[in-house]
Amino acid sequence: MTATPSSPPSDDLPGAVRDDHQALRAHGRKRFWLAVPSYVGVLLLLWLGAYMGSVKPGVVYLLSGSIALALAAIFVAVHFGLAVHTQDPMLAFTQSSFSIAMVAIGYALLDDLRSTALLWLSVIVVFDLWRLPRRQAHLAMGLCIVLPMLATVSRHYWHLVSLDWGRELFTLLILAVVLPVLYLVSAQARTTRARHTRQKQQMTETLAHLHQLSIRDGLTGVYNRRHMLTLLDDEVRRSRRSGRPFTVALLDLDFFKRINDEHGHATGDAVLRAFAQIAREVFPDSADMFARWGGEEFLLLQSETNKSQAWSALERLRQACHAHDWAQYASGLQVRFSAGVCEHQRQDSSEHTLELADKALYEAKAQGRDRVVVHGPVLQAVVAPTGSPPRERRGQAGAASLELNLNEASPWTAMVAGKLDEQPDPEETDTAQAPGWRARLLTLLWGSNPRLRPAMYMSMFGMCVYLSSIAGFLFYLIPSGVLPRVAGYSFVAHNTLAIVVTYTLLRLGLTAHWRDPAFVLPQVLWGGAGVIIGYGLMPSTSPSTLQMVCVSLVFGFSNLRPKQTLWVGRFYLAMMLAVLAARALGDAPDFNARKESLEVAMTCLVLWILSLQAHRFSLIREKVRAEKKALQEATERLSQIMMRDPLTGLFNRQYMQVLLERECVRHQRSGRSFSVALIDLDHFKAVNDTHGHAVGDEVLVGFAQAAKAHLRDSDVLCRWGGEEFLVLLVGADPGANGVQAMARMRSALAGTHLCPEMPDLQVTFSAGVAEHLPAEPIDRTLQRADEALYAAKAAGRDACRLSEPPPLAQASLRAQA
């Protein structure tokens, strides 16, 4: 009649652990011993009831013997690993089915404690069913509903007292409504916990391999998220200066979890690697920056590209994905992706652009997946950018119609869309009116604030419970006289107010910036208080009322903070005891002290178990947040180590090589040239020899800070090696700009004290500037900058020289002019 309050689901165990029989046996034993205290608590209350005369001794003997024999058999099977080779290696389904059967037997045989027997179904649903495979979970849910019905019928034939069939049917109907809702709410909390568990595992693996993942994703080989954020910030600064466009696209593999679940994570990894390889083939230019954004999500950053061109490029990727032979990884496997595209506006931040691309992605999912959706209107003509292969036009045969991102889709829409066929309905995609109507309808109903969408999703379950309660009051409790009309309509108003207030606040987004944006704590307190008061006024309906109490408490599982979970649990217990005291002191004619005391005691035991589990969930969330923060800090440190010079904090040579290669491709695409300036501090060896390396280090750091202060935001400075620095200079007439920039720096440094400990120490530098020429290898550009630098040194140092293009290049430039 109980469930295991804690232990990780068997499906979440790593494959190596699942294959280890010893680990399975140890985990099964742990799960067994965690369940024993709950069974002991139930038996103690049953024996107390027998002692007080509220429970028949024969029933207690039957239940105690059954539980003892079952526990002994389960312990032997788990301890010796008798079931380790079966589909239920830890006997999770067996224990759940036995607990459900004990609840049904108790519901049929118990008298005074009959109403509390069904409470343990809530515990079983919350604690056990999520551990089971989907088919077994559905079967167990069916048993939770069918066995109490059979128990009611058997009680009618075997019990001497006739049943009130109206109340029995009302209890069973409420049970049929409450348990599925409870399962969905619990599944939401369990999904969050499973996601946190996976995130924790990913963080552990990431911390172990961070030294390999500074720029590239370890699985797919494309850029990782941290590096892409740096690239995105660079692109935003460049766009603000030049006004040139760039686009961001978020891609998500459709139904990827299904691939992992059905074919295993090894196949899922192979799919991710293959998809990344396809993307590299479709986007060979380094100006098209492709990154793994997280899980099955990817991000594409395309410079010098508008959203029409980006859409056409992603359509090529989609067609390449369709043409790929995915069956080589698993029989019958088909992989598709959805994408959201947004063109960055000059005045916007990168966060806003990503948010709009994410909205477009959710719109693509809501419209059926396997499509590309662009935020905002697009040009009818698609023009290929310079240096790229010809791109498809919008009307080309075989290209999907381009949908507009009108509204954001909700998680509920995505969940519903996930149950549909992956191929869109032609009648919906061939018309101009079809795209986005579901998203518009759901946005109208649920609002457009993405932060509140999960709360709206949860509130939908709450509305179902409140509406079923209102129907019970209006069609049974009030007409049958179980509750006076005034009290009955007061409860109807109470439930209606909860629906209206919660929906209004979340729909209008009024709670978005509250400490509790989902408005969970007030809902849990309001709903629990109303149901417990209803229990005091309607003791005859206690089987259904007490189920509602459990549902109200479980609603806070996925949102409450640790202290809140315990305070809410104490609040529920205090309310139950207060109602019991009020009935005892009120001399109610139908008050049965023994029956209701045992009933409240059993209810408090169940509520406290639920509260402890909610507290445990909350602690896990807090721990995951702390670990995530630690991971971010560790990643920042790694970024500094792998991408930046540890002394000056500037980019290092390896990272600058990547930037230079990408800038060459950008030059080829847009025709906008750039220059490099190679800088060497004059007589720096003498500084080290005369004053020591500590002073030399201070000079390098001081120069780096001074140089950054006199360069533009769009220019990139790196430490090239030793006392050499390299500047990537972009903009119109880059050659002349580079010389001017070096002249400004030389003038500024002339009166700057680079080393506070040596105020009389003056340091100058020489520089060579070279403008990158069309189709010129970057190594040749750097060589010309180096030659110009040596010319500046040969001229007496403290000078800057511009490298003249070769004669053939000069003729080519004059012809282009």
Side-chain angles (χ1 to χ4, degrees):
M1 293 175 59
T2 186
T4 307
S6 60
S7 58
S10 58
D11 291 344
D12 289 344
L13 292 172
V17 176
R18 273 200 303 271
D19 295 336
D20 188 345
H21 297 169
Q22 294 296 330
L24 281 174
R25 290 165 59 184
H27 187 71
R29 287 193 296 267
K30 177 182 177 181
R31 186 181 187 279
F32 172 83
W33 289 115
L34 286 172
V36 168
S38 298
Y39 284 108
V40 172
V42 172
L43 292 177
L44 288 176
L45 287 176
L46 289 176
W47 281 101
L48 179 61
Y51 175 76
M52 298 173 61
S54 298
V55 181
K56 296 178 181 179
V59 175
V60 178
Y61 294 148
L62 173 63
L63 294 177
S64 300
S66 300
I67 291 175
L69 290 175
L71 290 179
I74 291 173
F75 175 78
V76 170
V78 170
H79 182 75
F80 293 101
L82 302 181
V84 76
H85 297 287
T86 67
Q87 294 183 353
D88 190 15
M90 292 181 294
L91 300 180
F93 180 71
T94 302
Q95 294 184 60
S96 300
S97 301
F98 169 73
S99 299
I100 296 170
M102 288 294 98
V103 169
I105 293 174
Y107 188 63
L109 301 180
L110 293 175
D111 293 325
D112 291 348
L113 288 178
R114 183 169 181 255
S115 59
T116 61
L118 296 181
L119 286 179
W120 291 99
L121 290 179
S122 301
V123 181
I124 295 169
V125 169
V126 169
F127 291 126
D128 276 353
L129 297 196
W130 64 280
R131 308 171 191 276
L132 305 176
R134 181 171 299 179
R135 180 176 297 179
Q136 292 181 354
H138 291 169
L139 178 59
M141 178 61 68
L143 293 176
C144 288
I145 297 175
V146 171
L147 290 185
M149 295 181 180
L150 296 178
T152 302
V153 174
S154 65
R155 185 176 178 85
H156 169 71
Y157 286 104
W158 298 340
H159 203 263
L160 299 178
V161 180
S162 61
L163 299 178
D164 185 341
W165 281 103
R167 295 182 183 179
E168 293 293 336
L169 293 177
F170 177 74
T171 299
L172 294 176
L173 287 175
I174 292 297
L175 183 70
V177 172
V178 165
L179 289 184
V181 172
L182 194 64
Y183 178 73
L184 292 175
V185 174
S186 177
Q188 182 75 4
R190 299 298 177 176
T191 300
T192 302
R193 184 194 174 198
R195 184 171 62 250
H196 288 168
T197 302
R198 290 192 298 270
Q199 176 181 310
K200 180 179 178 181
Q201 181 180 355
Q202 291 171 356
M203 286 191 296
T204 302
E205 295 172 355
T206 301
L207 289 172
H209 299 89
L210 270 178
H211 63 281
Q212 301 177 1
L213 303 176
S214 60
I215 295 178
R216 297 283 176 178
D217 173 61
L219 176 65
T220 62
V222 298
Y223 289 132
N224 59 23
R225 179 169 184 150
R226 298 293 303 181
H227 183 56
M228 179 58 78
L229 287 173
T230 302
L231 298 177
L232 185 58
D233 290 339
D234 292 342
E235 199 69 29
V236 168
R237 287 194 296 268
R238 185 186 301 273
S239 177
R240 287 176 180 171
R241 179 173 180 82
S242 66
R244 301 293 296 174
F246 73 90
T247 57
V248 172
L250 279 171
L251 299 81
D252 187 277
L253 299 188
D254 296 333
F255 307 111
F256 183 75
K257 185 178 183 301
R258 185 182 303 172
I259 297 176
N260 278 335
D261 293 343
E262 296 179 359
H263 305 290
H265 287 277
T267 301
D269 291 346
V271 167
L272 291 174
R273 286 192 292 265
F275 181 74
Q277 180 60 33
I278 294 172
R280 283 194 291 263
E281 295 171 359
V282 174
F283 305 112
D285 294 345
S286 59
D288 293 330
M289 292 153 273
F290 196 74
R292 186 181 179 192
W293 199 241
E296 67 271 24
E297 284 189 340
F298 295 83
L299 186 140
L300 175 65
L301 172 61
Q302 294 184 289
S303 60
E304 305 291 339
T305 305
N306 60 39
K307 53 191 173 186
S308 297
Q309 296 165 340
W311 176 83
S312 179
L314 285 168
E315 280 296 313
R316 290 192 293 112
L317 177 61
R318 200 168 68 86
Q319 296 302 324
C321 188
H322 283 203
H324 187 74
D325 181 19
W326 298 103
Q328 61 182 299
Y329 310 111
S331 177
L333 181 64
Q334 293 291 331
V335 178
R336 303 291 183 261
F337 73 89
S338 305
V341 180
C342 179
E343 180 178 337
H344 178 77
Q345 301 301 313
R346 187 173 184 178
Q347 70 280 6
D348 287 344
S349 65
S350 59
E351 290 81 6
H352 183 65
T353 301
L354 288 172
E355 181 181 357
L356 296 179
D358 191 52
K359 290 182 179 180
L361 172 60
Y362 271 102
E363 179 71 14
K365 291 181 179 180
Q367 294 177 12
R369 305 177 188 248
D370 189 22
R371 63 193 63 213
V372 180
V373 171
V374 178
H375 176 80
V378 297
L379 298 175
Q380 294 293 326
V382 177
V383 182
T386 305
S388 297
R391 300 187 177 189
E392 302 168 352
R393 296 185 177 271
R394 184 182 180 188
Q396 183 175 349
S401 59
L402 181 62
E403 286 107 8
L404 303 181
N405 179 30
L406 300 177
N407 292 287
E408 180 195 0
S410 67
W412 174 251
T413 308
M415 185 185 74
V416 175
K419 297 179 181 179
L420 302 178
D421 188 77
E422 293 189 25
Q423 298 297 329
D425 188 348
E427 296 181 359
E428 295 181 352
T429 56
D430 290 344
T431 61
Q433 294 79 11
W437 71 267
R438 293 187 182 92
R440 289 196 297 272
L441 176 61
L442 289 169
T443 299
L444 179 64
L445 292 175
W446 302 116
S448 58
N449 192 320
R451 189 182 183 192
L452 298 180
R453 286 304 177 87
M456 294 296 293
Y457 175 72
M458 293 295 292
S459 71
M460 178 185 64
F461 297 132
M463 289 181 185
C464 294
V465 176
Y466 279 123
L467 290 175
S468 63
S469 299
I470 291 174
F473 282 112
L474 294 179
F475 298 107
Y476 172 67
L477 297 176
I478 297 176
S480 64
V482 174
L483 197 64
R485 295 179 64 86
V486 174
Y489 285 114
S490 297
F491 280 107
V492 171
H494 174 276
N495 293 343
T496 304
L497 185 63
I499 295 175
V500 173
V501 171
T502 302
Y503 177 78
T504 302
L505 290 175
L506 296 179
R507 173 62 180 83
L508 298 180
L510 300 180
T511 65
H513 301 289
W514 292 7
R515 191 174 182 183
D516 182 14
F519 200 59
V520 173
L521 183 60
Q523 293 186 66
V524 173
L525 296 178
W526 179 264
V531 177
I532 294 173
I533 293 173
Y535 164 74
L537 297 177
M538 300 177 294
S540 61
T541 61
S542 57
S544 56
T545 308
L546 294 178
Q547 294 174 54
M548 292 289 191
V549 176
C550 294
V551 173
S552 300
L553 183 60
V554 170
F555 258 89
F557 267 28
S558 59
N559 296 91
L560 295 179
R561 294 187 295 274
K563 290 184 179 180
Q564 290 179 335
T565 57
L566 296 180
W567 281 111
V568 167
R570 295 185 184 110
F571 171 78
Y572 274 54
L573 298 184
M575 285 286 296
M576 289 296 300
L577 295 175
V579 167
L580 177 63
R583 286 185 55 79
L585 297 175
D587 295 329
D590 57 348
F591 178 71
N592 186 325
R594 291 184 303 178
K595 172 184 177 300
E596 296 193 26
S597 297
L598 287 173
E599 191 173 79
V600 169
M602 186 73 79
T603 303
C604 289
L605 175 62
V606 172
L607 293 177
W608 190 242
I609 290 175
L610 295 176
S611 299
L612 291 177
Q613 186 68 358
H615 180 68
R616 184 168 175 268
F617 280 168
S618 187
L619 289 176
I620 292 175
R621 289 196 302 271
E622 294 293 328
K623 184 177 180 180
V624 169
R625 291 191 187 101
E627 291 174 345
K628 184 177 181 180
K629 182 179 179 180
L631 175 65
Q632 291 173 344
E633 294 174 352
T635 308
E636 289 288 349
R637 291 193 298 268
L638 177 71
S639 176
Q640 296 296 322
I641 294 173
M642 302 300 293
M643 296 172 56
R644 295 188 179 273
D645 174 58
L647 176 63
T648 62
L650 302 177
F651 289 126
N652 58 25
R653 181 168 184 161
Q654 291 75 17
Y655 182 63
M656 178 60 84
Q657 288 281 8
V658 176
L659 295 182
L660 292 173
E661 293 290 347
R662 186 168 66 249
E663 200 64 32
C664 290
V665 177
R666 193 193 307 272
H667 179 196
Q668 182 180 3
R669 172 177 293 185
S670 66
R672 297 171 62 86
S673 186
F674 66 95
S675 294
V676 293
L678 190 59
I679 299 171
D680 186 273
L681 301 188
D682 296 331
H683 307 294
F684 185 75
K685 186 176 184 300
V687 174
N688 277 335
D689 293 342
T690 305
H691 305 287
H693 286 277
V695 173
D697 290 345
E698 290 289 340
V699 170
L700 292 174
V701 173
F703 176 80
Q705 295 174 350
K708 287 194 297 183
H710 292 89
L711 289 173
R712 303 169 301 178
D713 290 340
S714 56
D715 298 332
V716 182
L717 175 66
C718 87
R719 186 182 179 190
W720 197 244
E723 68 272 20
E724 287 187 336
F725 297 83
L726 185 72
V727 185
L728 171 61
L729 299 152
V730 297
D733 196 7
N737 282 348
V739 175
Q740 293 174 6
M742 295 302 101
R744 288 195 305 269
M745 285 179 58
R746 288 176 54 240
S747 299
L749 289 175
T752 302
H753 301 291
L754 300 182
C755 181
E757 297 181 0
M758 304 289 295
D760 297 331
L761 181 61
Q762 296 292 323
V763 178
T764 61
F765 70 88
S766 304
V769 179
E771 180 180 353
H772 182 259
L773 303 176
E776 181 183 44
I778 189 60
D779 291 340
R780 176 55 187 156
T781 305
L782 293 172
Q783 181 182 354
R784 292 194 295 108
D786 190 53
E787 293 171 353
L789 170 62
Y790 274 97
K793 289 182 177 182
R797 303 178 186 270
D798 192 17
C800 178
R801 292 291 185 268
L802 176 64
S803 174
E804 294 294 334
L808 292 178
Q810 291 182 1
S812 176
L813 292 175
R814 284 195 297 269
Q816 292 179 7

